[in-house]
Amino acid sequence: AQKVTQAQTEISVVEKEDVTLDCVYETRDTTYYLFWYKQPPSGELVFLIRRNSFDEQNEISGRYSWNFQKSTSSFNFTITASQVVDSAVYFCALSILGQNFVFGPGTRLSVLP
Amino acid sequence: NAGVTQTPKFQVLKTGQSMTLQCAQDMNHEYMSWYRQDPGMGLRLIHYSVGAGITDQGEVPNGYNVSRSTTEDFPLRLLSAAPSQTSVYFCASSYSPGATYEQYFGPGTRLTVT
């Protein structure tokens, strides 16, 4: 069975600090896809990134970066120089080809001014 | 494109009442799904559909029914509302289940059952 763990329930940082959100997944499949979604206080779910299991390259998009390590089954998300607008709940998700998504419980990030 | 739309945005029901949450998408996606979001539990899959006329149960299907008569619409029916169904409900769509495609989510429906 597939499972996603986000051990950090809540994180608080001061603006401009860097912060890393952890995601650990479990699957026996060799082909799978990992996702991060953001849920700001307004409530909508915003897609951030998709990564397949064959691509272990790290990705950087502006202040956001993602570190995928198959050896530790982790797909961590780092925000550099955090801003108040980054305050949100962040979800990590896993999908297997032809099957449904499995979401982690989410990490609530609060960025204080 | 409007993307994924959901109505209503808010709803209050009394225990035992029934209602339908509407979901529609205009992206010609085959895969649609319903999730509920409860504090500390992430998103849990209620029902899903891989195409018109095909539906299946997710992780928490009890108390809910779905149908998929068209590609665009995927309504969720609460048969007899219970306080345990108080939650935020999200509809989502994708080109296919899993695979390489992300899901697009609607804005959500906040349901309170008293």
Side-chain angles (χ1 to χ4, degrees), chain B residues 34-100:
Chain B
W34 276 101
Y35 294 89
R36 59 177 289 172
Q37 182 180 20
D38 302 295
M41 302 191 72
L43 291 151
R44 292 185 293 170
L45 184 66
I46 305 172
H47 284 286
Y48 65 96
S49 168
V50 297
I54 306 170
T55 64
D56 206 345
Q57 297 181 350
E59 179 186 355
V60 289
N62 291 342
Y64 308 95
N65 271 358
V66 292
S67 60
R68 183 99 179 267
S69 56
T70 67
T71 299
E72 294 78 20
D73 300 299
F74 191 42
L76 178 72
R77 296 184 189 84
L78 278 70
L79 309 173
S80 177
S84 60
Q85 293 179 304
T86 293
S87 188
V88 180
Y89 291 85
F90 287 97
C91 178
S93 74
S94 174
Y95 283 108
S96 69
T100 64

